[in-house]
Amino acid sequence: MKGILSIQSHVVYGHAGNSSAVFPLQRMGFEVWPIHTVQFSNHTQYKEGWTGRAFNAQDISDLVDGINNIGQLTNCEAILSGYQGSAEQCLAIKASVEKVKAANPNALYVCDPVMGAPDKGCIVAPGIAEHLINTLMPMADIIVPNQFELSQFADMAIESLEDAIKACQVALSKGPKMVLVKHLHSVSDEKFSMMLATAEGCWLAQRPHLPFDKQPVGVGDLISALFTGQFLAIGNAVEAFAHCNDACYAVLKATADRGEWELQTIAAQNEIVTPTERFELQAL
């Protein structure tokens, strides 16, 4: 039974981390093996706070070892990592990726390098950003940074489309084969922008902004999952990128239409597979 190992945060209520990624991947037809780096009652932007804790890094290693003991790492098609609760967890991710790739050299490693956004109430523990930049992102096949995370990895400011293209080229030179920038806020005020960069070129995806009183959380986790699943399904990065943009917009539209804050992945489940609205990519 082939599957995707998803090592991310988890919330009991709502949709962020694995709670945002696992169901869409399952709806796309994949078995998903989730390992939680933290378990919180809800995401961290609720003014009332949250409860829960980060897990020990050894828990990640132990669970991967358990899967290996039953001979299933050979069936792991991809490792998807997201929010990490400690610097030690980053090292456990590194070891886990190496173990999976030893069992299945064709397995992809997709790294969503969550470095935190203090303005949004998302804080990461000391040492995580450094491990992401120096260890996990260079060893990944695909990275899914936002504009800030890309600027940290490329070690340059991004203030224009041209800067973003250059930063992606720098990122590709450091190891990854693909860069999906999940949010490029400097490119347009009118539209939500994402970029895909590979050795073959760069593509820009844009979709309308939707009205929210409070911006939904877990969108980046959804983007990483949608792209990973579609790329595994069809093997074409550009087409997978277009699908990812379309399906993410459909989920957000369903969320806005219902006046909700939490992503409406269940309500929009059919759109995850076959989005109604399509947006053309721009080759750069």
Side-chain angles (χ1 to χ4, degrees):
M1 184 175 70
K2 295 185 181 298
I4 297 170
L5 185 61
S6 182
I7 310 176
Q8 306 192 54
S9 61
H10 173 75
V11 293
V12 177
Y13 174 83
H15 298 284
N18 270 333
S19 305
S20 178
V22 171
F23 175 73
L25 284 168
Q26 291 171 330
R27 188 62 182 79
M28 295 169 80
F30 291 93
E31 292 286 346
V32 187
W33 310 335
I35 294 178
H36 305 326
T37 56
V38 305
Q39 179 158 286
F40 292 160
S41 56
N42 47 272
H43 69 65
T44 59
Q45 292 184 42
Y46 280 86
K47 61 180 174 51
E48 298 89 348
W50 70 94
T51 58
R53 65 181 179 89
F55 293 112
N56 192 294
Q58 188 62 42
D59 292 340
I60 296 172
S61 301
D62 289 346
L63 291 169
V64 173
D65 284 344
I67 298 170
N68 193 36
N69 290 342
I70 60 172
Q72 290 303 312
L73 288 189
T74 56
N75 289 321
C76 181
E77 296 184 274
I79 312 100
L80 173 60
S81 70
Y83 180 90
Q84 305 302 306
S86 68
E88 291 76 17
Q89 285 185 346
C90 293
L91 299 178
I93 297 290
K94 175 180 182 291
S96 298
V97 171
E98 291 170 344
K99 188 163 289 189
V100 169
K101 284 183 173 280
N104 178 13
N106 294 321
L108 291 174
Y109 173 36
V110 183
C111 176
D112 185 347
V114 181
M115 294 183 192
D119 58 317
K120 294 183 178 180
C122 178
I123 308 295
V124 297
I128 289 178
E130 291 78 6
H131 279 307
L132 287 168
I133 292 167
N134 298 318
T135 304
L136 295 184
M137 295 175 79
M139 71 185 293
D141 298 292
I142 302 168
I143 59 173
V144 192
N146 60 24
Q147 181 173 309
F148 169 73
E149 292 154 356
L150 176 62
S151 71
Q152 296 300 295
F153 187 51
D155 194 23
M156 61 173 284
I158 300 173
E159 299 174 353
S160 66
L161 184 59
E162 291 71 25
D163 288 343
I165 293 171
K166 182 178 179 181
C168 284
Q169 292 169 341
V170 171
L172 290 170
S173 74
K174 293 188 172 189
K177 301 176 185 67
M178 297 181 203
V179 180
L180 193 171
V181 191
K182 58 194 173 193
H183 186 195
L184 270 176
H185 58 78
S186 290
V187 170
S188 172
D189 292 329
E190 288 75 37
K191 294 182 178 181
F192 187 96
S193 303
M194 302 196 300
M195 181 182 289
L196 175 71
T198 72
E200 285 70 47
C202 292
W203 292 264
L204 181 69
Q206 294 185 308
R207 58 181 187 264
H209 280 299
L210 291 165
F212 290 102
D213 293 333
K214 296 183 290 186
Q215 286 298 314
V217 175
V219 178
D221 309 317
L222 175 64
I223 289 168
S224 298
L226 290 169
F227 181 78
T228 299
Q230 194 69 2
F231 181 65
L232 286 174
I234 65 175
N236 184 303
V238 178
E239 291 181 11
F241 181 49
H243 177 92
C244 168
N245 185 52
D246 297 341
C248 186
Y249 175 76
V251 172
L252 285 166
K253 189 171 188 299
T255 305
D257 288 348
R258 287 163 173 77
E260 295 284 352
W261 187 18
E262 295 285 358
L263 290 173
Q264 297 295 292
T265 51
I266 309 301
Q269 60 180 286
N270 292 335
E271 294 278 341
I272 288 169
V273 179
T274 310
T276 302
E277 296 185 66
R278 303 292 179 91
F279 303 96
E280 291 295 321
L281 300 184
Q282 178 184 348
L284 302 173

